[in-house]
Amino acid sequence: MAHFRDQPLVGGALAFAVGAAIPTTQVEDSVAGEAAESVKDSISDKAEDILDKGAEAASAIYDPTTAVFDDTYEAASGRIKNEGVYD
C-alpha cells in the first residue's frame, strides 16, 4: 500500500485498468457504442504502459535499496556485538 501512497499515478493507472476490464452494459453499448470501446481500449493501453513503467522504476530502486539496508544492518549488528550489548 505504501507504493500506491508514494506513487499515486500507479494507483490511478491500476484503477483505470480495473475499470477497463469491467464488462459494459447494454445501455452503455447502445448509447456510446464504438466510441466508448475505443476510449476504453486507449485508456487500458495507456494504463498498462504506466504500470509497466512503475514496475521498472520499482525494480530499479529495489536492488540499491536492499544493498543499503544490508550494509546498514551489518554495520549496526557488528557495532552492537562489539559493544557487548548483544552476544
Side-chain angles (χ1 to χ4, degrees):
M1 293 309 291
H3 293 295
F4 292 123
R5 257 194 331 266
D6 296 340
Q7 299 290 331
L9 291 178
V10 173
L14 184 58
F16 276 121
V18 169
I22 297 172
T24 59
T25 65
Q26 288 180 347
V27 173
E28 289 173 325
D29 286 341
S30 66
V31 172
E34 291 181 23
E37 196 65 31
S38 176
V39 169
K40 186 171 75 168
D41 289 344
S42 176
I43 290 172
S44 180
D45 291 344
K46 289 179 183 183
E48 188 174 326
D49 290 343
I50 291 170
L51 286 173
D52 289 344
K53 288 178 184 177
E56 290 173 12
S59 293
I61 293 169
Y62 179 79
D63 289 336
T65 302
T66 55
V68 169
F69 176 77
D70 289 343
D71 292 346
T72 303
Y73 174 80
E74 291 296 324
S77 178
R79 185 172 176 188
I80 290 169
K81 287 178 183 176
N82 287 339
E83 292 186 16
V85 176
Y86 176 74
D87 291 319

Coordinates of all heavy atoms in Angstrom, one line a residue:
M1 N 0.8 -1.2 0.0 CA 0.0 0.0 0.0 C 0.9 1.3 0.0 O 0.4 2.3 -0.5 CB -0.9 0.0 1.2 CG -2.0 -1.1 1.2 SD -3.0 -1.2 -0.3 CE -3.9 0.3 -0.2
A2 N 2.0 1.2 0.6 CA 2.9 2.3 0.6 C 3.3 2.8 -0.8 O 3.5 4.0 -1.0 CB 4.2 2.1 1.5
H3 N 3.5 1.8 -1.7 CA 3.9 2.1 -3.0 C 2.8 3.0 -3.7 O 3.0 3.9 -4.5 CB 4.1 0.9 -3.9 CG 5.3 0.1 -3.4 ND1 6.6 0.6 -3.5 CD2 5.4 -1.1 -2.9 CE1 7.4 -0.3 -3.1 NE2 6.8 -1.3 -2.7
F4 N 1.5 2.6 -3.4 CA 0.4 3.4 -4.0 C 0.3 4.8 -3.4 O 0.0 5.7 -4.1 CB -0.9 2.7 -3.9 CG -1.0 1.4 -4.7 CD1 -1.2 0.2 -4.1 CD2 -0.8 1.4 -6.0 CE1 -1.3 -1.0 -4.8 CE2 -0.8 0.3 -6.8 CZ -1.1 -0.9 -6.2
R5 N 0.6 4.9 -2.1 CA 0.7 6.2 -1.5 C 1.8 7.1 -2.1 O 1.6 8.3 -2.3 CB 0.9 6.1 0.0 CG -0.4 6.3 0.9 CD -0.1 6.4 2.3 NE 1.1 5.8 2.8 CZ 1.2 4.6 3.4 NH1 0.1 3.9 3.5 NH2 2.3 4.1 3.8
D6 N 2.9 6.5 -2.2 CA 4.1 7.2 -2.7 C 4.1 7.4 -4.2 O 4.7 8.3 -4.8 CB 5.4 6.5 -2.4 CG 5.6 6.4 -0.9 OD1 5.0 7.2 -0.1 OD2 6.4 5.5 -0.4
Q7 N 3.3 6.6 -5.0 CA 3.3 6.7 -6.4 C 1.8 6.7 -6.8 O 1.2 5.7 -7.3 CB 3.9 5.4 -7.1 CG 5.4 5.3 -6.7 CD 6.2 6.4 -7.4 OE1 5.8 6.9 -8.5 NE2 7.3 6.8 -6.8
P8 N 1.1 7.8 -6.6 CA -0.3 7.9 -6.9 C -0.7 7.6 -8.4 O -1.8 7.1 -8.7 CB -0.7 9.3 -6.5 CG 0.5 10.1 -6.5 CD 1.6 9.1 -6.2
L9 N 0.2 7.9 -9.3 CA 0.0 7.6 -10.7 C -0.2 6.1 -11.0 O -1.0 5.7 -11.8 CB 1.0 8.2 -11.6 CG 1.1 9.7 -11.7 CD1 2.2 10.1 -12.6 CD2 -0.2 10.3 -12.2
V10 N 0.6 5.3 -10.2 CA 0.5 3.9 -10.4 C -0.9 3.4 -9.9 O -1.5 2.6 -10.6 CB 1.6 3.1 -9.6 CG1 1.4 1.6 -9.7 CG2 3.0 3.5 -10.2
G11 N -1.3 3.9 -8.8 CA -2.7 3.6 -8.3 C -3.8 4.0 -9.2 O -4.7 3.3 -9.5
G12 N -3.6 5.2 -9.8 CA -4.6 5.7 -10.8 C -4.6 4.8 -12.0 O -5.7 4.5 -12.6
A13 N -3.4 4.4 -12.5 CA -3.3 3.5 -13.7 C -4.0 2.2 -13.4 O -4.7 1.6 -14.2 CB -1.9 3.3 -14.1
L14 N -3.8 1.7 -12.2 CA -4.4 0.4 -11.8 C -5.9 0.6 -11.8 O -6.6 -0.3 -12.2 CB -3.9 0.0 -10.4 CG -4.4 -1.4 -10.0 CD1 -4.0 -2.5 -11.0 CD2 -3.8 -1.7 -8.6
A15 N -6.4 1.7 -11.3 CA -7.9 1.9 -11.2 C -8.4 2.0 -12.6 O -9.5 1.4 -12.9 CB -8.2 3.2 -10.5
F16 N -7.7 2.6 -13.6 CA -8.2 2.7 -14.9 C -8.2 1.3 -15.6 O -9.1 0.9 -16.3 CB -7.3 3.6 -15.8 CG -7.6 5.0 -15.7 CD1 -6.7 6.0 -15.3 CD2 -8.9 5.5 -16.1 CE1 -7.0 7.3 -15.2 CE2 -9.2 6.8 -16.0 CZ -8.3 7.7 -15.6
A17 N -7.2 0.5 -15.3 CA -7.1 -0.9 -15.8 C -8.2 -1.7 -15.3 O -8.8 -2.5 -16.1 CB -5.7 -1.5 -15.5
V18 N -8.5 -1.6 -14.0 CA -9.7 -2.4 -13.5 C -11.0 -1.9 -14.1 O -11.8 -2.7 -14.5 CB -9.7 -2.2 -11.9 CG1 -11.0 -2.8 -11.4 CG2 -8.5 -2.9 -11.3
G19 N -11.2 -0.6 -14.2 CA -12.4 -0.1 -14.9 C -12.5 -0.5 -16.3 O -13.6 -0.8 -16.8
A20 N -11.4 -0.6 -17.0 CA -11.4 -1.0 -18.4 C -11.7 -2.5 -18.5 O -12.3 -2.9 -19.5 CB -10.1 -0.7 -19.1
A21 N -11.4 -3.3 -17.5 CA -11.7 -4.7 -17.5 C -13.1 -5.1 -17.2 O -13.6 -6.2 -17.5 CB -10.7 -5.4 -16.6
I22 N -13.9 -4.2 -16.7 CA -15.3 -4.4 -16.3 C -16.1 -4.4 -17.6 O -16.0 -3.5 -18.4 CB -15.8 -3.4 -15.3 CG1 -15.0 -3.4 -14.0 CG2 -17.3 -3.6 -15.1 CD1 -15.3 -2.3 -13.1
P23 N -16.9 -5.5 -17.8 CA -17.7 -5.6 -19.0 C -18.8 -4.4 -19.1 O -19.2 -3.9 -18.0 CB -18.5 -6.9 -18.9 CG -18.0 -7.5 -17.6 CD -17.1 -6.6 -16.9
T24 N -19.1 -4.0 -20.3 CA -20.1 -2.9 -20.5 C -21.5 -3.5 -20.4 O -21.7 -4.7 -20.5 CB -19.9 -2.3 -21.8 OG1 -20.0 -3.3 -22.8 CG2 -18.5 -1.6 -22.0
T25 N -22.4 -2.6 -20.1 CA -23.8 -3.0 -20.0 C -24.5 -2.7 -21.4 O -23.9 -2.0 -22.3 CB -24.6 -2.2 -19.0 OG1 -24.6 -0.8 -19.4 CG2 -23.9 -2.3 -17.6
Q26 N -25.7 -3.2 -21.6 CA -26.4 -3.0 -22.8 C -26.7 -1.5 -23.0 O -26.7 -1.0 -24.2 CB -27.7 -3.8 -22.9 CG -27.5 -5.3 -23.0 CD -28.8 -6.1 -23.0 OE1 -29.9 -5.5 -22.7 NE2 -28.7 -7.3 -23.4
V27 N -27.0 -0.8 -22.0 CA -27.3 0.6 -22.1 C -26.1 1.4 -22.5 O -26.1 2.2 -23.4 CB -27.8 1.2 -20.7 CG1 -27.9 2.7 -20.8 CG2 -29.1 0.5 -20.3
E28 N -24.9 1.0 -22.0 CA -23.7 1.7 -22.4 C -23.4 1.4 -23.9 O -23.0 2.3 -24.6 CB -22.5 1.2 -21.5 CG -22.5 1.7 -20.1 CD -21.4 1.0 -19.3 OE1 -21.1 -0.1 -19.5 OE2 -20.9 1.7 -18.4
D29 N -23.6 0.2 -24.3 CA -23.4 -0.2 -25.6 C -24.3 0.5 -26.6 O -23.8 1.0 -27.7 CB -23.5 -1.7 -25.8 CG -22.4 -2.5 -25.3 OD1 -21.3 -1.9 -25.0 OD2 -22.6 -3.7 -25.0
S30 N -25.5 0.7 -26.2 CA -26.5 1.4 -27.2 C -26.2 2.9 -27.2 O -26.4 3.5 -28.2 CB -27.9 1.1 -26.8 OG -28.2 1.6 -25.5
V31 N -25.8 3.5 -26.1 CA -25.6 4.9 -26.0 C -24.2 5.3 -26.6 O -24.1 6.2 -27.4 CB -25.7 5.4 -24.6 CG1 -25.3 6.9 -24.5 CG2 -27.2 5.2 -24.1
A32 N -23.2 4.6 -26.2 CA -21.9 5.0 -26.5 C -21.3 4.2 -27.7 O -20.4 4.8 -28.5 CB -21.0 5.0 -25.3
G33 N -21.6 3.0 -27.8 CA -21.2 2.1 -28.8 C -19.7 2.0 -29.0 O -18.9 1.9 -28.1
E34 N -19.2 2.2 -30.3 CA -17.8 2.0 -30.6 C -16.9 3.1 -30.0 O -15.8 2.8 -29.7 CB -17.7 2.0 -32.1 CG -18.3 0.8 -32.8 CD -18.0 0.8 -34.3 OE1 -17.1 1.5 -34.8 OE2 -18.8 0.1 -35.0
A35 N -17.5 4.3 -29.8 CA -16.6 5.4 -29.3 C -16.2 5.0 -27.9 O -15.0 5.2 -27.5 CB -17.4 6.7 -29.3
A36 N -17.1 4.5 -27.1 CA -16.8 4.1 -25.7 C -15.7 3.0 -25.7 O -14.8 3.0 -24.9 CB -18.0 3.7 -24.9
E37 N -15.9 2.0 -26.6 CA -15.0 0.9 -26.7 C -13.6 1.4 -27.1 O -12.6 1.0 -26.5 CB -15.5 -0.1 -27.7 CG -14.8 -1.5 -27.6 CD -15.1 -2.2 -26.3 OE1 -16.2 -2.0 -25.7 OE2 -14.3 -2.9 -25.8
S38 N -13.5 2.3 -28.0 CA -12.2 2.9 -28.4 C -11.5 3.6 -27.3 O -10.3 3.4 -27.1 CB -12.5 3.8 -29.6 OG -11.3 4.4 -30.0
V39 N -12.3 4.4 -26.6 CA -11.7 5.2 -25.4 C -11.3 4.2 -24.4 O -10.2 4.3 -23.8 CB -12.8 6.2 -24.9 CG1 -12.3 6.7 -23.5 CG2 -13.0 7.3 -25.9
K40 N -12.1 3.2 -24.1 CA -11.7 2.2 -23.1 C -10.4 1.5 -23.4 O -9.6 1.3 -22.6 CB -12.9 1.2 -22.9 CG -12.6 0.2 -21.7 CD -13.9 -0.6 -21.4 CE -14.1 -1.6 -22.4 NZ -15.1 -2.6 -22.1
D41 N -10.3 1.1 -24.7 CA -9.1 0.4 -25.2 C -7.9 1.3 -25.0 O -6.8 0.9 -24.6 CB -9.3 -0.1 -26.6 CG -10.3 -1.2 -26.7 OD1 -10.6 -1.9 -25.7 OD2 -10.7 -1.5 -27.9
S42 N -8.1 2.6 -25.4 CA -7.0 3.5 -25.3 C -6.5 3.7 -23.9 O -5.3 3.7 -23.6 CB -7.4 4.9 -26.0 OG -6.4 5.8 -25.8
I43 N -7.4 3.9 -23.0 CA -7.1 4.1 -21.6 C -6.5 2.8 -21.0 O -5.5 2.9 -20.3 CB -8.4 4.5 -20.8 CG1 -8.8 5.9 -21.2 CG2 -8.1 4.4 -19.3 CD1 -10.1 6.3 -20.6
S44 N -7.0 1.7 -21.4 CA -6.4 0.4 -20.9 C -4.9 0.3 -21.4 O -4.1 -0.1 -20.6 CB -7.2 -0.7 -21.5 OG -6.7 -2.0 -21.0
D45 N -4.7 0.6 -22.6 CA -3.3 0.5 -23.2 C -2.4 1.5 -22.4 O -1.3 1.1 -22.0 CB -3.3 0.8 -24.7 CG -3.9 -0.3 -25.5 OD1 -4.1 -1.4 -25.0 OD2 -4.2 0.0 -26.7
K46 N -2.9 2.7 -22.2 CA -2.0 3.7 -21.5 C -1.8 3.3 -20.1 O -0.7 3.5 -19.5 CB -2.7 5.1 -21.6 CG -2.6 5.7 -23.0 CD -3.2 7.0 -23.1 CE -3.1 7.5 -24.6 NZ -3.7 8.8 -24.8
A47 N -2.8 2.8 -19.4 CA -2.7 2.3 -18.0 C -1.7 1.2 -17.9 O -0.9 1.1 -17.0 CB -4.0 1.9 -17.5
E48 N -1.7 0.3 -18.9 CA -0.7 -0.8 -18.9 C 0.7 -0.3 -19.1 O 1.6 -0.7 -18.4 CB -1.1 -1.8 -20.0 CG -0.2 -3.0 -20.0 CD -0.7 -4.0 -21.0 OE1 -1.9 -4.1 -21.3 OE2 0.2 -4.7 -21.6
D49 N 0.9 0.7 -20.0 CA 2.2 1.3 -20.1 C 2.7 2.0 -18.8 O 3.8 1.8 -18.5 CB 2.1 2.4 -21.2 CG 2.0 1.8 -22.6 OD1 2.2 0.6 -22.8 OD2 1.6 2.5 -23.5
I50 N 1.8 2.7 -18.1 CA 2.1 3.3 -16.9 C 2.5 2.3 -15.8 O 3.5 2.5 -15.1 CB 1.0 4.3 -16.4 CG1 0.9 5.5 -17.3 CG2 1.2 4.7 -15.0 CD1 -0.4 6.3 -17.1
L51 N 1.7 1.2 -15.8 CA 2.0 0.2 -14.8 C 3.4 -0.5 -15.1 O 4.2 -0.7 -14.2 CB 0.9 -0.9 -14.8 CG -0.4 -0.5 -14.1 CD1 -1.4 -1.6 -14.4 CD2 -0.1 -0.3 -12.6
D52 N 3.7 -0.7 -16.4 CA 5.0 -1.2 -16.7 C 6.1 -0.3 -16.3 O 7.1 -0.7 -15.8 CB 5.1 -1.5 -18.3 CG 4.2 -2.7 -18.7 OD1 3.8 -3.5 -17.8 OD2 3.9 -2.8 -19.9
K53 N 5.9 1.0 -16.6 CA 7.0 2.0 -16.2 C 7.1 2.0 -14.7 O 8.2 2.1 -14.2 CB 6.6 3.4 -16.7 CG 6.8 3.5 -18.2 CD 6.4 4.8 -18.8 CE 6.5 4.8 -20.3 NZ 6.1 6.1 -20.9
G54 N 6.0 1.9 -14.0 CA 6.1 1.9 -12.5 C 6.8 0.7 -12.0 O 7.6 0.7 -11.1
A55 N 6.6 -0.5 -12.6 CA 7.3 -1.7 -12.2 C 8.8 -1.6 -12.5 O 9.6 -2.0 -11.7 CB 6.7 -2.9 -13.0
E56 N 9.1 -1.0 -13.6 CA 10.5 -0.8 -14.0 C 11.2 0.1 -13.0 O 12.3 -0.2 -12.5 CB 10.7 -0.2 -15.4 CG 10.3 -1.2 -16.5 CD 10.3 -0.5 -17.9 OE1 10.8 0.6 -18.0 OE2 9.8 -1.2 -18.8
A57 N 10.5 1.2 -12.6 CA 11.1 2.1 -11.6 C 11.3 1.4 -10.3 O 12.3 1.6 -9.6 CB 10.2 3.3 -11.5
A58 N 10.3 0.6 -9.9 CA 10.4 -0.1 -8.6 C 11.5 -1.1 -8.6 O 12.2 -1.2 -7.6 CB 9.0 -0.8 -8.3
S59 N 11.7 -1.7 -9.7 CA 12.8 -2.7 -9.8 C 14.1 -2.0 -9.8 O 15.1 -2.5 -9.1 CB 12.7 -3.5 -11.1 OG 11.6 -4.3 -11.1
A60 N 14.2 -0.8 -10.4 CA 15.5 -0.1 -10.4 C 15.8 0.4 -9.0 O 17.0 0.5 -8.7 CB 15.4 1.1 -11.4
I61 N 14.8 0.7 -8.2 CA 15.1 1.2 -6.8 C 15.3 0.1 -5.9 O 16.1 0.2 -4.9 CB 13.9 2.1 -6.4 CG1 13.8 3.3 -7.2 CG2 13.9 2.4 -4.9 CD1 12.5 4.1 -7.1
Y62 N 14.7 -1.1 -6.1 CA 14.8 -2.2 -5.1 C 16.2 -2.7 -4.8 O 16.5 -2.8 -3.7 CB 13.9 -3.4 -5.7 CG 13.9 -4.5 -4.7 CD1 13.1 -4.5 -3.6 CD2 14.7 -5.7 -5.0 CE1 13.1 -5.6 -2.7 CE2 14.7 -6.7 -4.1 CZ 13.9 -6.7 -3.0 OH 13.9 -7.8 -2.2
D63 N 17.0 -3.0 -5.8 CA 18.3 -3.5 -5.6 C 19.2 -2.6 -4.8 O 19.8 -3.0 -3.8 CB 19.0 -4.0 -6.9 CG 18.3 -5.2 -7.5 OD1 17.7 -6.0 -6.7 OD2 18.4 -5.4 -8.7
P64 N 19.3 -1.3 -5.2 CA 20.2 -0.4 -4.4 C 19.7 -0.2 -3.0 O 20.4 -0.1 -2.1 CB 20.1 0.9 -5.2 CG 19.7 0.6 -6.6 CD 18.9 -0.7 -6.4
T65 N 18.4 -0.2 -2.8 CA 17.8 0.0 -1.5 C 18.1 -1.2 -0.6 O 18.5 -1.0 0.5 CB 16.3 0.2 -1.6 OG1 16.0 1.3 -2.4 CG2 15.6 0.4 -0.2
T66 N 17.9 -2.4 -1.1 CA 18.2 -3.6 -0.3 C 19.7 -3.6 0.0 O 20.1 -4.1 1.1 CB 17.8 -4.9 -1.0 OG1 18.3 -5.0 -2.3 CG2 16.3 -4.9 -1.1
A67 N 20.6 -3.2 -0.9 CA 22.0 -3.2 -0.7 C 22.3 -2.2 0.5 O 23.1 -2.6 1.4 CB 22.8 -2.8 -1.9
V68 N 21.7 -1.1 0.5 CA 22.0 -0.1 1.6 C 21.4 -0.7 2.9 O 22.1 -0.6 3.9 CB 21.3 1.3 1.3 CG1 21.3 2.2 2.5 CG2 22.0 1.9 0.1
F69 N 20.3 -1.3 2.9 CA 19.7 -1.9 4.1 C 20.6 -3.0 4.6 O 20.9 -3.0 5.8 CB 18.3 -2.5 3.8 CG 17.7 -3.2 5.0 CD1 17.2 -2.5 6.0 CD2 17.8 -4.6 5.0 CE1 16.6 -3.1 7.1 CE2 17.2 -5.2 6.1 CZ 16.7 -4.5 7.2
D70 N 21.1 -3.8 3.7 CA 22.0 -4.9 4.2 C 23.3 -4.3 4.8 O 23.8 -4.8 5.8 CB 22.4 -5.8 3.0 CG 21.2 -6.7 2.5 OD1 20.2 -6.8 3.3 OD2 21.3 -7.2 1.4
D71 N 23.9 -3.3 4.2 CA 25.1 -2.7 4.7 C 24.8 -2.1 6.1 O 25.6 -2.2 7.0 CB 25.6 -1.6 3.7 CG 26.1 -2.2 2.4 OD1 26.4 -3.4 2.4 OD2 26.3 -1.4 1.5
T72 N 23.7 -1.4 6.2 CA 23.3 -0.8 7.5 C 23.1 -1.8 8.5 O 23.5 -1.7 9.7 CB 22.0 0.1 7.3 OG1 22.2 1.0 6.3 CG2 21.6 0.8 8.6
Y73 N 22.4 -2.9 8.2 CA 22.2 -4.0 9.2 C 23.5 -4.6 9.6 O 23.7 -4.8 10.8 CB 21.3 -5.1 8.5 CG 21.2 -6.3 9.4 CD1 20.3 -6.2 10.5 CD2 21.9 -7.4 9.2 CE1 20.1 -7.3 11.3 CE2 21.8 -8.5 10.0 CZ 20.9 -8.5 11.1 OH 20.8 -9.6 11.9
E74 N 24.4 -4.9 8.7 CA 25.7 -5.5 9.0 C 26.5 -4.5 9.9 O 27.1 -5.0 10.9 CB 26.5 -5.8 7.8 CG 25.9 -6.9 7.0 CD 25.9 -8.2 7.7 OE1 26.9 -8.5 8.5 OE2 25.0 -9.0 7.5
A75 N 26.5 -3.2 9.6 CA 27.2 -2.3 10.4 C 26.6 -2.2 11.8 O 27.4 -2.2 12.8 CB 27.2 -0.9 9.8
A76 N 25.3 -2.1 11.9 CA 24.7 -2.0 13.2 C 24.9 -3.3 14.0 O 25.2 -3.2 15.2 CB 23.2 -1.7 13.1
S77 N 24.7 -4.4 13.4 CA 24.9 -5.7 14.1 C 26.3 -5.8 14.6 O 26.5 -6.2 15.8 CB 24.6 -6.8 13.1 OG 24.8 -8.1 13.7
G78 N 27.3 -5.5 13.8 CA 28.7 -5.6 14.2 C 29.0 -4.6 15.4 O 29.7 -5.0 16.3
R79 N 28.5 -3.4 15.3 CA 28.7 -2.5 16.4 C 28.1 -2.9 17.7 O 28.7 -2.8 18.8 CB 28.1 -1.1 16.0 CG 28.4 0.0 17.0 CD 28.0 1.3 16.5 NE 28.2 2.3 17.5 CZ 27.8 3.5 17.5 NH1 27.2 4.0 16.4 NH2 28.0 4.4 18.4
I80 N 26.8 -3.5 17.6 CA 26.2 -4.0 18.8 C 27.0 -5.1 19.4 O 27.1 -5.2 20.6 CB 24.7 -4.4 18.5 CG1 23.9 -3.1 18.2 CG2 24.1 -5.2 19.6 CD1 22.5 -3.4 17.6
K81 N 27.4 -6.0 18.6 CA 28.2 -7.2 19.1 C 29.6 -6.7 19.7 O 30.0 -7.2 20.7 CB 28.5 -8.1 18.0 CG 27.3 -8.9 17.6 CD 27.6 -9.9 16.4 CE 26.3 -10.6 16.0 NZ 26.6 -11.4 14.8
N82 N 30.2 -5.7 19.1 CA 31.5 -5.2 19.6 C 31.3 -4.5 20.9 O 32.2 -4.5 21.7 CB 32.1 -4.2 18.6 CG 32.7 -4.9 17.4 OD1 33.0 -6.1 17.4 ND2 32.8 -4.2 16.3
E83 N 30.2 -3.9 21.2 CA 30.0 -3.1 22.4 C 29.4 -4.1 23.5 O 29.1 -3.6 24.6 CB 29.0 -2.0 22.2 CG 29.7 -0.9 21.3 CD 28.9 0.4 21.2 OE1 27.9 0.6 21.9 OE2 29.2 1.2 20.3
G84 N 29.2 -5.3 23.2 CA 28.8 -6.3 24.2 C 27.3 -6.2 24.5 O 26.9 -6.8 25.5
V85 N 26.6 -5.5 23.8 CA 25.1 -5.3 24.1 C 24.4 -6.6 23.7 O 23.5 -7.1 24.4 CB 24.5 -4.1 23.3 CG1 23.0 -4.1 23.6 CG2 25.2 -2.9 23.8
Y86 N 24.9 -7.3 22.7 CA 24.2 -8.5 22.2 C 25.3 -9.5 21.9 O 26.2 -9.3 21.2 CB 23.5 -8.1 20.8 CG 22.8 -9.3 20.2 CD1 21.7 -9.8 20.7 CD2 23.4 -9.9 19.0 CE1 21.1 -10.9 20.0 CE2 22.8 -10.9 18.4 CZ 21.7 -11.5 18.9 OH 21.1 -12.5 18.3
D87 N 25.1 -10.6 22.5 CA 26.1 -11.7 22.4 C 25.5 -12.9 21.6 O 24.4 -13.2 21.7 CB 26.6 -12.2 23.7 CG 27.5 -11.2 24.4 OD1 28.2 -10.6 23.7 OD2 27.3 -11.0 25.6

